C-alpha cells in the first residue's frame, strides 16, 4: 500500500526571506520556528520555509513541495513519480533528498531523514 508523507513542507525560493516572512506569518497565522520556518502551532497544516535563491527572475519557480517519507519507501516513491511522467533531475544529495520535475518543469523533492546535517 502507498505510504503517505511523514512530513509535507511548502518551500518558497526567495533571495530575501526577511521581506516575505512577516507576510506569510500574518497570512497563515503561523508561529515563527527555529531558523526561518513558519509552523502551524496546532500541527494541522504544512509548515512553510524559505529557501535562499540567488535568482530574482520573474519567471523562476517559486514554490516547491518537500515530501518526507521513510527511507525504505523513497526509491519506490521516486519510481512512482517517474512512472507518472516525472523526471529525476538531481540525486547528488541522496539519500537526504532527490529533486524531481513534473512534465511542465516544476520541481519538488522527495526527502528522508538520512544524511541530514
Amino acid at each position: 500500500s502507498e505510504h503517505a508523507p511523514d512530513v509535507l513542507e511548502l518551500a518558497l525560493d526567495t533571495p530575501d526571506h526577511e521581506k516575505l516572512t512577516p507576510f506569510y506569518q500574518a497570512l497563515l497565522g503561523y508561529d515563527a520556528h527555529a531558523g526561518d520556518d513558519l509552523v502551524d502551532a496546532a500541527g494541522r497544516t504544512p509548515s512553510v520555509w524559505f529557501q535562499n535563491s540567488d535568482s530574482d527572475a520573474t519567471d523562476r519557480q517559486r514554490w516547491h513541495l518537500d515530501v518526507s517519507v521513510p527511507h525504505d519507501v523513497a526509491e519506490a516513491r521516486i519510481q512512482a513519480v517517474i512512472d507518472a511522467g516525472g523526471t529525476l533531475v538531481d540525486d547528488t544529495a541522496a539519500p537526504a533528498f532527490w529533486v524531481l520535475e513534473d512534465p511542465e518543469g516544476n520541481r519538488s523533492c522527495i526527502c528522508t531523514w538520512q544524511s541530514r546535517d
Side-chain angles (χ1 to χ4, degrees), residues 3-4 6 67-78 94-98 110-115:
H3 185 280
D6 285 345
V67 180
S68 294
V69 298
H71 70 281
D72 58 345
V73 301
E75 289 185 22
R77 180 66 60 90
I78 292 162
F97 65 91
W98 294 258
I110 298 289
C111 310
T112 73
W113 59 268
Q114 293 183 315
S115 300

Side-chain angles (χ1 to χ4, degrees), residues 86-102:
T87 303
L88 178 62
V89 176
D90 187 356
D91 63 358
T92 57
F97 65 91
W98 294 258
V99 180
L100 297 120
E101 203 171 69
D102 73 15

Side-chain angles (χ1 to χ4, degrees), residues 17 24 34 42 53 61 86 107 109:
H17 73 84
Y24 285 100
S53 169
Q61 178 177 319
R107 294 184 176 188
C109 297

Side-chain angles (χ1 to χ4, degrees), residues 32-59:
H33 188 49
D36 304 316
D37 294 359
L38 298 176
V39 297
D40 172 10
R44 295 176 307 228
T45 55
S47 64
V48 175
W49 68 281
F50 302 90
Q51 178 168 288
N52 187 42
S53 169
D54 59 4
S55 174
D56 59 5
T58 56
D59 64 346

